[in-house]
Amino acid sequence: MSAQRAPYAEAPDQSRGRLFPETASRTRNAFARDRDRIIHCTAFRRLKEKTQVFVAHEGDHYRTRLTHSLEVAQIARSIAHALKLDQDLAETVALAHDLGHPPFGHAGEDELELCMTAHGGFDHNVQTFRVVTKLEERYPAFDGLNLSWETIEGVVKHNGPVTDQLHKPSWRAIADYGAEWDLRLDSFASLEAQAAAIADDIAYNNHDVDDGVQAGLFRLDDLNDVPLIGPILHGTRKDWPDLDNRMIRLEAVRRMIGAMIDDVLAETERRIAEDGIRTAEDVRAASRTLVQFSGPMMEDLGRLRAFLYERMYRHYRVNRTRSQAKRILSEMFALFMREPDVLPPEWSGKAKSEDPDRRARAVCDYIAGMTDRYAIEEHRKLFSLDLQLDL
């Protein structure tokens, strides 16, 4: 065991391998190779114009799924480094975690779930799994990216065991895959995958504060009495009394990220010691998540999220965007189901299946892969009165 790796960390040279065996890379370990496959895949590139709260065309400074994923990966690597875990695996799961998100963030996911109610449902976590195991077509020997067992496990279980989800029709793809290649769906994933999951929470809470202020949905002063960010703003102003609001915002967000990471490290180390975790197998057999916030931090984050929900996620401007996004996706879904011939050739064949569930899944996969900008433009071409040939 390397002195730089904790005994409960994952080791790439001890990976359970790939579903389709491949010759090892001369230049990268198994997890680094997975990371590179994710970075080079089509779904990852499309994240540059997929967003969470705002639509991609609304401004150049708001986070996209791509910039969010990069921030999550950086935080996950930092946590993994501090805990002496495998940084490549933590980064890989972080970069992959949003690959299955459709256009228009959670509004898009909600609408596709509604469209697919009678056809097996839709879940962005399952869609991420389907992207990396089936939908990416880049290699002649297999569908998907043929990632390592530990990476796929992390993609599926980074939030914990998933056996309570398997009864849902949308999760059938994972249940079927698990029957072919056991992902131990009743156990926790690695500490590296858990680090990626907590990094996601840290990143989006901080960048939603940053983006919300930039968008004018609320002011910095509105945060003065909000737990966690309020005291940090006070401390920042005390240390830098002459700083302008832009720099105050940036410095406060930086400090909040640091405070949340420090809390995670302390709580995780406490849990590892308390639960007697000594091996990677101990992590999977644990009775609880190990990489976690402390109780007081969870309470503070709950109040911060309540503020963001009220002042940002349900702001009337955001509601209008959500409404438009849902109409765009629902109208395209209905049209493609009725007239699969208007789909691009590589998709129309799949959408002509006699099985309505297969037809709906093909339509859903096509829409889920769209960027915000492409969905808006595709909808315009399909529903405008412009009768010129689209050549």
Side-chain angles (χ1 to χ4, degrees):
M1 177 66 65
S2 168
Q4 299 302 310
R5 182 181 293 128
Y8 37 72
E10 292 295 326
D13 58 350
Q14 297 174 21
S15 169
R16 302 184 188 205
R18 305 175 188 276
L19 184 60
F20 300 94
E22 297 183 62
T23 303
S25 170
R26 295 176 56 190
T27 58
R28 301 157 295 173
N29 67 45
F31 303 150
R33 192 181 197 181
D34 289 348
R35 176 199 60 216
D36 295 347
R37 288 186 174 185
I38 289 164
I39 289 173
H40 285 276
C41 78
T42 302
F44 187 75
R45 290 197 299 277
R46 288 176 178 163
L47 296 180
K48 69 181 180 179
E49 288 192 353
K50 292 190 179 190
T51 46
Q52 294 173 252
V53 178
F54 302 99
V55 176
H57 72 284
E58 292 182 326
D60 292 334
H61 299 291
Y62 304 129
R63 269 71 170 190
T64 65
R65 291 278 176 192
L66 179 60
T67 59
H68 166 69
S69 295
L70 295 174
E71 291 176 8
V72 174
Q74 179 272 315
I75 295 170
R77 281 195 75 98
S78 295
I79 293 172
H81 172 76
L83 295 174
K84 297 184 178 179
L85 306 176
D86 189 281
Q87 296 177 51
D88 288 332
L89 179 57
E91 180 183 27
T92 299
V93 176
L95 291 172
H97 85 280
D98 268 356
L99 292 179
H101 268 287
F104 310 128
H106 295 294
E109 180 175 12
D110 291 345
E111 191 58 36
L112 283 184
E113 169 62 21
L114 184 61
C115 291
M116 291 293 292
T117 299
H119 305 291
F122 179 84
D123 182 288
H124 78 267
N125 287 312
V126 178
Q127 193 70 6
T128 295
F129 165 82
R130 295 184 69 248
V131 166
V132 301
T133 59
K134 179 179 177 64
L135 295 180
E136 281 288 331
E137 298 178 348
R138 308 182 64 82
Y139 302 92
F142 46 78
D143 291 332
L145 302 179
N146 197 34
L147 303 176
S148 302
W149 186 92
E150 293 77 11
T151 296
I152 297 178
E153 179 208 32
V155 166
V156 172
K157 302 189 307 184
H158 56 273
N159 288 320
V162 297
T163 47
D164 62 333
Q165 302 292 319
L166 298 182
H167 69 282
K168 299 178 180 178
S170 59
W171 280 73
R172 180 173 178 178
I174 289 177
D176 291 347
Y177 189 91
E180 180 179 5
W181 203 27
D182 186 11
L183 295 174
R184 301 182 61 182
L185 300 176
D186 60 343
S187 71
F188 284 90
S190 64
L191 289 176
E192 288 82 358
Q194 294 182 39
I198 207 82
D200 185 26
D201 288 347
I202 294 171
Y204 80 70
N205 277 292
N206 281 277
H207 66 53
D208 283 355
V209 167
D210 195 16
D211 287 350
V213 173
Q214 286 197 79
L217 301 183
F218 51 84
R219 301 170 304 154
L220 273 183
D221 288 347
D222 295 330
L223 295 163
N224 286 339
D225 296 325
V226 178
L228 186 60
I229 184 61
I232 288 175
L233 281 169
H234 175 75
T236 304
R237 291 187 179 109
K238 182 178 179 181
D239 292 343
W240 300 93
D242 298 324
L243 215 56
D244 62 52
N245 273 346
R246 173 182 172 275
M247 290 300 294
I248 287 287
R249 184 189 81 241
L250 294 173
E251 175 64 12
V253 167
R254 184 188 71 80
R255 292 185 182 192
M256 189 160 70
I257 291 173
M260 293 172 73
I261 290 175
D262 288 344
D263 181 85
V264 166
L265 294 177
E267 178 66 13
T268 301
E269 289 168 348
R270 185 188 71 79
R271 292 186 178 210
I272 287 173
E274 188 176 273
D275 291 12
I277 303 299
R278 295 182 176 84
T279 67
E281 183 57 31
D282 290 342
V283 174
R284 291 189 173 85
S287 60
R288 58 178 176 172
T289 302
L290 296 170
V291 183
Q292 188 55 276
F293 296 115
S294 67
M297 179 62 76
M298 290 287 284
E299 291 180 11
D300 285 351
L301 285 174
R303 293 178 63 184
L304 173 60
R305 288 167 182 156
F307 173 89
L308 291 171
Y309 187 89
E310 178 185 354
R311 299 294 297 274
M312 183 175 183
Y313 307 143
R314 287 298 176 260
H315 192 283
Y316 84 93
R317 285 165 49 194
V318 176
N319 286 340
R320 287 182 176 183
T321 298
R322 288 173 55 86
S323 177
Q324 291 172 323
K326 288 183 175 184
R327 287 197 301 276
I328 287 172
L329 297 194
S330 65
E331 289 173 1
M332 285 198 296
F333 186 92
L335 176 64
F336 292 149
M337 288 292 286
R338 290 194 309 269
E339 303 178 39
D341 283 332
V342 304
L343 285 163
E346 63 269 27
W347 288 98
S348 62
K350 300 174 184 177
K352 291 178 181 177
S353 171
E354 294 296 323
D355 183 335
D357 291 342
R358 288 180 179 271
R359 183 164 70 251
R361 185 60 62 188
V363 169
C364 181
D365 286 342
Y366 176 59
I367 293 175
M370 294 179 178
T371 64
D372 295 6
R373 191 182 304 274
Y374 185 82
I376 293 169
E377 182 62 18
E378 188 79 336
H379 184 270
R380 184 195 65 77
K381 291 177 180 178
L382 291 165
F383 291 93
S384 74
L385 295 179
D386 182 1
L387 297 181
Q388 298 180 23
L389 287 177
D390 180 27
L391 299 177

